[in-house]
Coordinates of all heavy atoms in Angstrom, one line a residue:
T1 N 17.8 4.7 8.3 CA 17.4 5.0 6.9 C 17.6 3.8 6.0 O 16.9 3.7 5.0 CB 18.2 6.2 6.3 OG1 19.6 6.1 6.7 CG2 17.6 7.5 6.7
S2 N 18.6 2.9 6.2 CA 18.7 1.7 5.4 C 17.5 0.8 5.5 O 17.1 0.2 4.6 CB 20.0 1.0 5.7 OG 20.0 0.5 7.0
L3 N 16.9 0.7 6.7 CA 15.7 -0.1 6.9 C 14.6 0.5 6.1 O 13.8 -0.2 5.5 CB 15.4 -0.2 8.4 CG 14.1 -1.0 8.8 CD1 14.3 -2.4 8.3 CD2 13.9 -0.9 10.3
M4 N 14.5 1.8 6.1 CA 13.4 2.5 5.4 C 13.6 2.2 3.9 O 12.6 2.0 3.2 CB 13.4 4.0 5.7 CG 12.4 4.8 5.0 SD 10.9 4.6 5.7 CE 10.1 6.1 5.2
L5 N 14.8 2.3 3.4 CA 15.0 2.1 2.0 C 14.7 0.6 1.6 O 14.1 0.3 0.6 CB 16.5 2.4 1.6 CG 16.9 3.8 1.7 CD1 18.4 4.0 1.4 CD2 16.1 4.6 0.6
F6 N 15.1 -0.3 2.5 CA 14.7 -1.7 2.3 C 13.2 -1.9 2.2 O 12.7 -2.6 1.3 CB 15.3 -2.6 3.4 CG 14.8 -4.0 3.3 CD1 15.4 -4.9 2.4 CD2 13.8 -4.5 4.1 CE1 15.0 -6.2 2.3 CE2 13.4 -5.8 4.1 CZ 14.0 -6.7 3.1
A7 N 12.5 -1.3 3.1 CA 11.0 -1.4 3.1 C 10.4 -0.8 1.9 O 9.5 -1.3 1.3 CB 10.5 -0.7 4.4
L8 N 11.0 0.4 1.4 CA 10.4 1.0 0.2 C 10.7 0.1 -1.0 O 9.9 -0.1 -1.9 CB 11.1 2.3 0.0 CG 10.6 3.4 1.0 CD1 11.4 4.7 0.7 CD2 9.2 3.7 0.8
R9 N 11.9 -0.5 -1.1 CA 12.2 -1.5 -2.2 C 11.3 -2.7 -2.1 O 10.8 -3.1 -3.2 CB 13.7 -1.9 -2.1 CG 14.5 -1.4 -3.2 CD 15.9 -1.9 -3.2 NE 16.8 -0.9 -2.5 CZ 17.6 -1.1 -1.5 NH1 17.7 -2.3 -1.0 NH2 18.3 -0.1 -1.0
A10 N 11.1 -3.2 -1.0 CA 10.2 -4.4 -0.8 C 8.8 -4.0 -1.2 O 8.1 -4.8 -1.9 CB 10.2 -4.9 0.6
A11 N 8.3 -2.8 -0.9 CA 7.0 -2.4 -1.2 C 6.8 -2.3 -2.7 O 5.8 -2.7 -3.3 CB 6.7 -1.0 -0.6
K12 N 7.8 -1.7 -3.4 CA 7.8 -1.6 -4.9 C 7.7 -3.0 -5.5 O 7.0 -3.2 -6.5 CB 9.0 -0.8 -5.4 CG 8.9 0.7 -5.1 CD 10.1 1.4 -5.6 CE 10.0 2.9 -5.2 NZ 11.2 3.6 -5.6
E13 N 8.5 -3.9 -5.0 CA 8.5 -5.3 -5.6 C 7.2 -6.0 -5.4 O 6.8 -6.8 -6.3 CB 9.6 -6.1 -4.9 CG 11.0 -5.6 -5.3 CD 12.1 -6.3 -4.5 OE1 11.8 -7.3 -3.8 OE2 13.2 -5.9 -4.7
K14 N 6.4 -5.7 -4.4 CA 5.1 -6.3 -4.2 C 4.0 -5.5 -4.7 O 2.8 -5.7 -4.4 CB 4.9 -6.5 -2.7 CG 5.9 -7.5 -2.0 CD 5.6 -7.7 -0.6 CE 6.5 -8.6 0.1 NZ 6.2 -8.9 1.5
K15 N 4.2 -4.5 -5.5 CA 3.2 -3.6 -6.1 C 2.4 -2.9 -5.0 O 1.2 -2.9 -5.1 CB 2.3 -4.4 -7.0 CG 3.0 -5.2 -8.1 CD 3.6 -4.3 -9.1 CE 4.2 -5.2 -10.2 NZ 5.3 -4.6 -10.9
M16 N 3.1 -2.4 -4.1 CA 2.4 -1.6 -3.0 C 2.4 -0.2 -3.4 O 3.2 0.3 -4.2 CB 3.2 -1.8 -1.7 CG 3.2 -3.2 -1.2 SD 1.7 -3.6 -0.3 CE 2.1 -5.3 0.1
A17 N 1.5 0.6 -2.8 CA 1.3 2.0 -3.1 C 1.6 2.7 -1.7 O 1.5 2.0 -0.7 CB 0.0 2.3 -3.6
Q18 N 1.8 4.0 -1.8 CA 2.0 4.7 -0.5 C 1.1 6.0 -0.6 O 0.8 6.6 -1.6 CB 3.4 5.2 -0.3 CG 4.3 4.0 0.0 CD 5.7 4.5 0.4 OE1 6.2 5.4 -0.2 NE2 6.3 3.9 1.4
G19 N 0.6 6.3 0.6 CA -0.2 7.6 0.8 C 0.4 8.3 2.0 O 0.9 7.7 2.9
K20 N 0.2 9.6 1.9 CA 0.7 10.5 3.0 C -0.5 11.2 3.6 O -1.3 11.8 2.9 CB 1.7 11.5 2.5 CG 2.3 12.4 3.5 CD 3.5 13.2 3.0 CE 2.9 14.4 2.3 NZ 4.0 15.4 2.0
L21 N -0.6 11.2 4.9 CA -1.6 11.9 5.7 C -1.0 12.9 6.6 O 0.1 12.7 7.2 CB -2.4 10.9 6.5 CG -3.2 9.8 5.8 CD1 -3.7 8.8 6.9 CD2 -4.3 10.4 5.1
D22 N -1.6 14.0 6.8 CA -1.3 15.0 7.8 C -2.1 14.7 9.0 O -3.4 14.7 8.9 CB -1.5 16.4 7.3 CG -0.5 16.8 6.2 OD1 0.7 16.5 6.4 OD2 -0.9 17.4 5.2
V23 N -1.5 14.4 10.1 CA -2.3 14.1 11.4 C -1.9 15.1 12.4 O -0.7 15.4 12.7 CB -1.9 12.6 11.8 CG1 -2.5 12.3 13.1 CG2 -2.3 11.6 10.8
T24 N -2.9 15.6 13.1 CA -2.7 16.6 14.1 C -3.0 15.9 15.5 O -3.8 15.0 15.6 CB -3.6 17.8 14.0 OG1 -5.0 17.4 14.0 CG2 -3.3 18.6 12.7
G25 N -2.3 16.4 16.5 CA -2.5 15.9 17.8 C -1.4 15.0 18.4 O -1.4 14.6 19.5
M26 N -0.4 14.6 17.5 CA 0.7 13.8 17.9 C 1.7 14.7 18.7 O 2.2 15.6 18.1 CB 1.4 13.1 16.8 CG 0.8 11.9 16.2 SD 1.9 11.1 15.1 CE 1.9 12.1 13.6
G27 N 1.9 14.4 20.0 CA 2.8 15.2 20.8 C 4.1 14.5 21.2 O 5.0 15.1 21.7
S28 N 4.1 13.2 20.9 CA 5.3 12.4 21.4 C 5.5 11.2 20.5 O 4.7 10.8 19.7 CB 5.0 12.0 22.8 OG 4.0 11.0 22.8
R29 N 6.7 10.6 20.7 CA 7.0 9.4 20.0 C 6.0 8.3 20.4 O 5.7 7.4 19.5 CB 8.4 9.0 20.4 CG 9.0 7.9 19.5 CD 10.4 7.6 19.8 NE 11.3 8.6 19.1 CZ 12.5 8.7 19.2 NH1 13.2 8.0 20.0 NH2 13.2 9.6 18.5
D30 N 5.5 8.3 21.6 CA 4.5 7.3 22.0 C 3.2 7.4 21.2 O 2.6 6.4 20.8 CB 4.2 7.3 23.5 CG 5.3 6.8 24.3 OD1 6.1 6.0 23.9 OD2 5.4 7.2 25.5
D31 N 2.8 8.7 20.9 CA 1.6 8.9 20.1 C 1.9 8.3 18.7 O 1.0 7.7 18.1 CB 1.3 10.4 19.9 CG 0.8 11.0 21.2 OD1 0.3 10.2 22.1 OD2 0.8 12.2 21.3
A32 N 3.1 8.5 18.1 CA 3.4 8.0 16.8 C 3.3 6.5 16.8 O 2.8 5.8 15.9 CB 4.8 8.5 16.3
K33 N 3.8 5.9 17.9 CA 3.8 4.4 18.0 C 2.4 3.9 18.1 O 2.1 2.8 17.5 CB 4.6 4.0 19.2 CG 6.1 4.1 19.1 CD 6.8 3.7 20.4 CE 8.3 3.9 20.3 NZ 9.0 3.5 21.5
K34 N 1.5 4.6 18.7 CA 0.1 4.2 18.8 C -0.5 4.2 17.4 O -1.3 3.3 17.0 CB -0.7 5.1 19.7 CG -0.4 5.0 21.2 CD -1.2 6.0 22.0 CE -0.7 6.1 23.4 NZ -1.3 7.1 24.2
I35 N -0.3 5.2 16.6 CA -0.8 5.3 15.3 C -0.2 4.2 14.4 O -1.0 3.6 13.7 CB -0.5 6.7 14.7 CG1 -1.4 7.8 15.4 CG2 -0.8 6.7 13.2 CD1 -1.1 9.2 15.0
I36 N 1.0 3.9 14.5 CA 1.6 2.8 13.8 C 1.0 1.5 14.1 O 0.6 0.8 13.2 CB 3.2 2.8 14.0 CG1 3.8 4.0 13.4 CG2 3.8 1.5 13.4 CD1 5.3 4.2 13.8
A37 N 0.9 1.2 15.4 CA 0.3 -0.1 15.8 C -1.1 -0.2 15.4 O -1.5 -1.3 14.8 CB 0.4 -0.2 17.3
R38 N -1.9 0.8 15.6 CA -3.3 0.7 15.2 C -3.5 0.7 13.6 O -4.3 0.0 13.1 CB -4.1 1.9 15.8 CG -5.6 1.9 15.4 CD -6.3 0.6 15.9 NE -7.7 0.6 15.5 CZ -8.1 -0.1 14.5 NH1 -7.3 -0.9 13.8 NH2 -9.4 -0.1 14.1
G39 N -2.7 1.5 13.0 CA -2.8 1.6 11.5 C -2.4 0.3 10.8 O -3.0 0.0 9.8
E40 N -1.5 -0.4 11.4 CA -1.1 -1.6 10.7 C -2.1 -2.8 11.0 O -2.0 -3.8 10.3 CB 0.3 -2.0 11.2 CG 1.4 -1.1 10.6 CD 2.8 -1.4 11.1 OE1 3.0 -2.2 12.0 OE2 3.7 -0.8 10.4
E41 N -3.1 -2.5 11.8 CA -4.2 -3.5 11.9 C -5.3 -3.3 10.9 O -6.1 -4.2 10.7 CB -4.8 -3.3 13.3 CG -3.9 -3.7 14.5 CD -4.5 -3.4 15.8 OE1 -5.6 -2.8 15.9 OE2 -3.9 -3.8 16.8
V42 N -5.3 -2.2 10.2 CA -6.3 -1.9 9.2 C -6.1 -2.8 7.9 O -4.9 -2.9 7.5 CB -6.3 -0.4 8.8 CG1 -7.2 -0.1 7.6 CG2 -6.6 0.5 10.0
A43 N -7.1 -3.4 7.4 CA -7.0 -4.3 6.3 C -6.3 -3.6 5.1 O -6.6 -2.5 4.8 CB -8.4 -4.7 5.9
G44 N -5.4 -4.3 4.5 CA -4.7 -3.9 3.3 C -3.4 -3.1 3.6 O -2.7 -2.8 2.7
V45 N -3.2 -2.7 4.9 CA -2.1 -1.9 5.3 C -0.9 -2.8 5.4 O -0.9 -3.8 6.2 CB -2.3 -1.1 6.5 CG1 -1.0 -0.4 7.0 CG2 -3.4 0.0 6.3
H46 N 0.2 -2.5 4.8 CA 1.5 -3.2 4.9 C 2.4 -2.7 6.0 O 2.9 -3.4 6.8 CB 2.2 -3.3 3.6 CG 3.5 -4.0 3.6 ND1 3.6 -5.3 3.7 CD2 4.7 -3.5 3.5 CE1 4.9 -5.6 3.7 NE2 5.6 -4.5 3.6
M47 N 2.5 -1.3 6.0 CA 3.4 -0.7 6.9 C 3.0 0.8 7.1 O 2.4 1.4 6.2 CB 4.8 -0.7 6.4 CG 5.9 -0.1 7.3 SD 7.6 -0.3 6.6 CE 7.5 0.8 5.2
V48 N 3.2 1.3 8.3 CA 2.9 2.7 8.7 C 4.2 3.3 9.3 O 4.8 2.7 10.1 CB 1.7 2.8 9.7 CG1 1.5 4.2 10.0 CG2 0.5 2.1 9.1
N49 N 4.5 4.5 8.9 CA 5.5 5.3 9.5 C 4.8 6.6 10.0 O 4.0 7.2 9.2 CB 6.6 5.7 8.5 CG 7.5 4.5 8.2 OD1 8.0 3.9 9.1 ND2 7.7 4.2 6.9
A50 N 5.1 7.1 11.2 CA 4.5 8.3 11.7 C 5.6 9.1 12.3 O 6.4 8.6 13.1 CB 3.4 8.0 12.7
N51 N 5.6 10.4 12.0 CA 6.6 11.4 12.6 C 5.8 12.4 13.5 O 5.1 13.2 12.9 CB 7.3 12.1 11.5 CG 8.4 13.0 12.0 OD1 8.2 13.7 12.9 ND2 9.5 13.0 11.3
H52 N 6.0 12.3 14.8 CA 5.3 13.1 15.7 C 5.7 14.6 15.6 O 4.9 15.5 15.9 CB 5.4 12.6 17.1 CG 6.7 12.8 17.7 ND1 7.8 12.0 17.5 CD2 7.2 13.8 18.5 CE1 8.9 12.4 18.1 NE2 8.5 13.5 18.8
E53 N 6.9 14.8 15.1 CA 7.4 16.2 15.0 C 6.8 17.0 13.8 O 6.5 18.1 13.9 CB 8.9 16.2 14.9 CG 9.6 15.7 16.2 CD 11.1 15.6 16.0 OE1 11.6 15.6 14.9 OE2 11.7 15.5 17.1
T54 N 6.5 16.2 12.7 CA 6.0 16.9 11.5 C 4.5 16.6 11.3 O 3.8 17.3 10.6 CB 6.7 16.4 10.2 OG1 6.4 15.0 10.1 CG2 8.2 16.7 10.3
G55 N 4.0 15.6 12.0 CA 2.6 15.2 11.9 C 2.3 14.4 10.6 O 1.1 14.2 10.3
I56 N 3.3 14.0 9.9 CA 3.2 13.2 8.7 C 3.1 11.7 9.0 O 4.0 11.2 9.7 CB 4.3 13.6 7.7 CG1 4.1 15.0 7.3 CG2 4.2 12.6 6.5 CD1 5.2 15.5 6.4
V57 N 2.1 11.1 8.4 CA 2.0 9.6 8.5 C 2.0 9.1 7.1 O 1.3 9.5 6.2 CB 0.7 9.2 9.2 CG1 0.5 7.7 9.1 CG2 0.6 9.7 10.6
V58 N 2.9 8.1 6.8 CA 3.0 7.5 5.5 C 2.5 6.1 5.6 O 3.0 5.3 6.5 CB 4.5 7.5 4.9 CG1 4.6 6.8 3.6 CG2 5.0 9.0 4.8
V59 N 1.6 5.7 4.8 CA 1.0 4.4 4.8 C 1.4 3.6 3.5 O 1.2 4.2 2.4 CB -0.6 4.5 4.9 CG1 -1.2 3.1 5.0 CG2 -1.0 5.4 6.0
T60 N 1.9 2.5 3.7 CA 2.2 1.6 2.5 C 1.2 0.5 2.5 O 0.9 -0.1 3.5 CB 3.6 0.9 2.7 OG1 4.6 2.0 2.8 CG2 4.0 0.1 1.5
Y61 N 0.5 0.3 1.4 CA -0.7 -0.5 1.3 C -0.8 -1.2 0.0 O -0.2 -0.8 -1.0 CB -1.9 0.3 1.6 CG -2.1 1.4 0.6 CD1 -2.9 1.3 -0.5 CD2 -1.6 2.7 0.9 CE1 -3.0 2.3 -1.4 CE2 -1.8 3.7 0.0 CZ -2.5 3.5 -1.2 OH -2.7 4.6 -2.0
A62 N -1.6 -2.3 0.0 CA -1.9 -3.0 -1.2 C -3.0 -2.2 -1.9 O -4.0 -1.9 -1.3 CB -2.4 -4.4 -0.9
D63 N -2.8 -1.9 -3.2 CA -3.8 -1.1 -3.9 C -5.2 -1.5 -3.8 O -6.1 -0.7 -3.5 CB -3.4 -1.1 -5.4 CG -2.2 -0.2 -5.7 OD1 -2.0 0.8 -5.1 OD2 -1.4 -0.6 -6.6
E64 N -5.5 -2.8 -4.0 CA -6.8 -3.2 -4.1 C -7.6 -3.4 -2.8 O -8.8 -3.3 -2.8 CB -6.9 -4.6 -4.9 CG -6.2 -5.8 -4.1 CD -4.7 -5.8 -4.2 OE1 -4.1 -5.1 -5.0 OE2 -4.2 -6.6 -3.5
S65 N -6.9 -3.4 -1.7 CA -7.7 -3.7 -0.5 C -7.6 -2.6 0.6 O -8.2 -2.7 1.6 CB -7.2 -5.0 0.1 OG -5.8 -4.9 0.4
F66 N -6.9 -1.5 0.3 CA -6.8 -0.4 1.3 C -8.0 0.5 1.2 O -8.5 0.9 0.2 CB -5.5 0.4 1.0 CG -5.4 1.6 1.9 CD1 -5.1 1.4 3.2 CD2 -5.4 2.9 1.4 CE1 -5.0 2.5 4.1 CE2 -5.3 3.9 2.3 CZ -5.0 3.7 3.6
D67 N -8.5 0.8 2.5 CA -9.7 1.7 2.6 C -9.2 2.9 3.4 O -9.0 2.9 4.6 CB -10.8 1.0 3.4 CG -12.0 1.8 3.5 OD1 -12.0 3.0 3.2 OD2 -13.0 1.2 4.0
Q68 N -9.0 4.0 2.7 CA -8.5 5.3 3.3 C -9.4 5.7 4.5 O -9.0 6.1 5.5 CB -8.5 6.4 2.3 CG -8.3 7.8 2.8 CD -6.8 8.2 2.9 OE1 -6.0 7.8 2.1 NE2 -6.5 9.0 3.9
A69 N -10.8 5.6 4.3 CA -11.7 6.0 5.3 C -11.5 5.1 6.6 O -11.6 5.7 7.7 CB -13.1 5.9 4.8
A70 N -11.3 3.9 6.4 CA -11.1 3.0 7.6 C -9.8 3.4 8.3 O -9.8 3.3 9.5 CB -11.0 1.5 7.1
F71 N -8.8 3.7 7.6 CA -7.5 4.1 8.2 C -7.7 5.4 9.0 O -7.3 5.5 10.1 CB -6.4 4.3 7.2 CG -5.1 4.5 7.8 CD1 -4.3 3.5 8.2 CD2 -4.6 5.8 8.1 CE1 -3.0 3.7 8.8 CE2 -3.4 6.0 8.7 CZ -2.6 5.0 9.1
S72 N -8.4 6.4 8.4 CA -8.6 7.7 9.0 C -9.5 7.5 10.3 O -9.2 8.1 11.3 CB -9.3 8.6 8.0 OG -8.4 9.0 7.0
A73 N -10.5 6.6 10.2 CA -11.3 6.3 11.3 C -10.5 5.7 12.5 O -10.7 6.0 13.7 CB -12.4 5.4 10.9
A74 N -9.6 4.8 12.2 CA -8.7 4.2 13.2 C -7.9 5.3 13.9 O -7.7 5.3 15.1 CB -7.8 3.1 12.6
V75 N -7.3 6.3 13.1 CA -6.6 7.3 13.7 C -7.4 8.2 14.6 O -7.0 8.6 15.7 CB -5.9 8.2 12.5 CG1 -5.2 9.4 13.1 CG2 -4.8 7.3 11.8
T76 N -8.6 8.5 14.1 CA -9.6 9.3 14.9 C -10.0 8.7 16.2 O -10.1 9.3 17.2 CB -10.8 9.7 14.0 OG1 -10.4 10.3 12.8 CG2 -11.8 10.5 14.7
E77 N -10.2 7.4 16.1 CA -10.5 6.6 17.4 C -9.5 6.7 18.4 O -9.8 6.7 19.6 CB -10.7 5.1 17.0 CG -12.0 4.8 16.3 CD -12.1 3.4 15.8 OE1 -11.3 2.6 16.2 OE2 -13.0 3.1 15.0
L78 N -8.2 7.0 18.0 CA -7.1 7.1 19.0 C -7.1 8.6 19.5 O -6.3 8.8 20.4 CB -5.8 6.8 18.3 CG -5.6 5.4 18.0 CD1 -4.3 5.2 17.1 CD2 -5.5 4.5 19.2
G79 N -7.9 9.5 19.0 CA -7.9 10.8 19.5 C -7.1 11.8 18.6 O -6.9 12.9 19.1
F80 N -6.7 11.4 17.5 CA -6.0 12.3 16.6 C -6.9 12.7 15.4 O -7.9 12.0 15.1 CB -4.7 11.6 16.1 CG -3.8 11.1 17.2 CD1 -3.8 9.7 17.5 CD2 -3.1 11.9 17.9 CE1 -3.0 9.2 18.5 CE2 -2.3 11.4 19.0 CZ -2.3 10.1 19.3
N81 N -6.5 13.7 14.7 CA -7.2 14.1 13.5 C -6.4 13.9 12.2 O -5.2 14.3 12.2 CB -7.6 15.6 13.6 CG -8.5 15.9 14.8 OD1 -9.5 15.3 15.0 ND2 -8.1 16.8 15.6
S82 N -7.1 13.4 11.2 CA -6.4 13.2 9.9 C -7.2 13.7 8.8 O -8.4 13.9 8.9 CB -6.1 11.7 9.7 OG -7.2 11.0 9.6

């Protein structure tokens, strides 16, 4: 949790925003890791957290360059629904 708090503080200092998505189809920690890895490749994304138990994905991004549709498409390409 201290790492998460550090990341949230850093995001606020850099004028980052966060969005929350409900993603279905995650059945394991490996699925969450796939979403994190792919999501962090999307332009404008700073950091992704995914919880396979709740299906919640939190995306930290730069306001001006984040494309929600591109992020959702990346998740869908992996076989999950957002």
Side-chain angles (χ1 to χ4, degrees):
T1 44
S2 61
L3 179 59
M4 179 78 155
L5 292 174
F6 173 76
L8 290 174
R9 250 185 259 127
K12 287 179 184 177
E13 290 172 9
K14 293 181 180 182
K15 306 291 185 210
M16 298 279 177
Q18 289 188 319
K20 184 172 81 168
L21 298 169
D22 291 316
V23 176
T24 59
M26 280 191 285
S28 68
R29 194 174 274 176
D30 286 338
D31 288 344
K33 287 179 182 179
K34 289 177 190 175
I35 290 173
I36 292 167
R38 179 63 185 100
E40 289 180 347
E41 294 175 353
V42 174
V45 173
H46 176 71
M47 183 175 69
V48 178
N49 287 307
N51 184 317
H52 72 280
E53 294 174 346
T54 64
I56 294 175
V57 175
V58 178
V59 183
T60 303
Y61 57 91
D63 287 323
E64 67 280 351
S65 60
F66 177 65
D67 182 351
Q68 167 92 34
F71 187 88
S72 291
V75 170
T76 301
E77 287 172 8
L78 291 172
F80 305 104
N81 297 310
S82 64

